[in-house]
Amino acid sequence: MKKILFVCLGNICRSPGAEGIMKDLVRKNKREADFHIDSAGLYGGHVGALPDARMRKHAALRGYTLDSRARVFYPSADFLEFDMIVGMDDQNIRQLCQLAENDEERSKIYRITDFCRKYTQYNMVPDPYYDGADGFELVLDLLEDAIVGLYEYCSNK
Ligand code: 4NP
């Protein structure tokens, strides 16, 4: 069982998108027994909320239903529970590294764009919160690309 936690700032746009796309891919491959997928935010201002309505709309246009509820990242529990903690941008990675208490915890931190195959010119998934529709489409393009790479990385290990 591979346990993967996607992390962004608010847990209402990028990381729930990643969670929904990865769960869809796992389901399509009938690998539900092999993966535990969740997401969390480093900022707690949206705890309990569904993903942002714009994120849900753009995801739905691609066939993904995003119905997770925002929660915060719990360093002590989440570094123990998950095998991979996958951040979206420099700020996420920096904060996760600050929260990690030892090398084992630090070794679980990954940057999602490192798994991209097509969008290799990006080293982060930009925060779409203050952007228009194009920002949400870019988030989904990057996440779909990265998650195929991440799924294969996990499947080959
Ligand atoms: P996310 O986007 O990190 O992709 O969920 C954001 C959502 C909310 C805020 C920032 C980013 N915010 O400042 O409230």
Side-chain angles (χ1 to χ4, degrees):
M1 163 79 78
K2 194 83 178 169
K3 297 179 180 178
I4 301 171
L5 182 68
F6 295 105
V7 174
C8 63
L9 183 58
N11 193 214
I12 55 168
C13 298
R14 294 166 293 173
S15 62
E19 177 185 344
I21 292 168
M22 183 99 189
K23 282 181 170 170
D24 184 72
L25 188 59
V26 165
R27 199 181 310 116
K28 282 183 176 144
N29 285 283
K30 301 189 172 29
R31 297 281 307 277
E32 290 99 323
D34 301 326
F35 286 90
H36 173 61
I37 314 290
D38 195 5
S39 66
L42 290 158
Y43 162 65
H46 300 276
V47 164
L50 279 171
D52 185 282
R54 298 165 295 173
M55 190 71 214
R56 280 186 284 138
K57 184 185 95 178
H58 286 275
L61 290 170
R62 300 186 189 206
Y64 307 111
T65 304
L66 305 186
D67 56 7
S68 58
R69 294 281 175 172
R71 73 161 175 95
V72 284
F73 178 72
Y74 297 111
S76 51
D78 289 330
F79 274 121
L80 195 65
E81 163 85 1
F82 290 92
D83 304 304
M84 298 179 78
I85 314 269
V86 186
M88 302 289 146
D89 62 23
D90 290 340
Q91 187 192 356
N92 301 159
I93 302 291
R94 201 180 320 116
Q95 275 185 266
L96 288 168
C97 287
Q98 282 165 358
L99 292 166
E101 292 198 331
N102 53 54
D103 286 345
E104 193 196 342
E105 292 186 354
R106 263 184 292 282
S107 74
K108 295 184 173 186
I109 300 169
Y110 294 81
R111 176 183 291 263
I112 194 158
T113 45
D114 285 346
F115 298 98
C116 282
R117 274 103 177 263
K118 287 189 286 187
Y119 291 89
T120 51
Q121 72 274 38
Y122 285 85
N123 66 358
M124 63 163 186
V125 178
D127 181 346
Y129 195 63
Y130 297 103
D131 287 346
D134 288 355
F136 287 88
E137 286 297 312
L138 176 63
V139 166
L140 288 163
D141 287 340
L142 293 172
L143 292 179
E144 285 185 326
D145 184 26
I147 279 162
V148 170
L150 175 59
Y151 177 79
E152 290 182 9
Y153 172 85
C154 293
S155 299
N156 294 333
K157 278 189 91 187

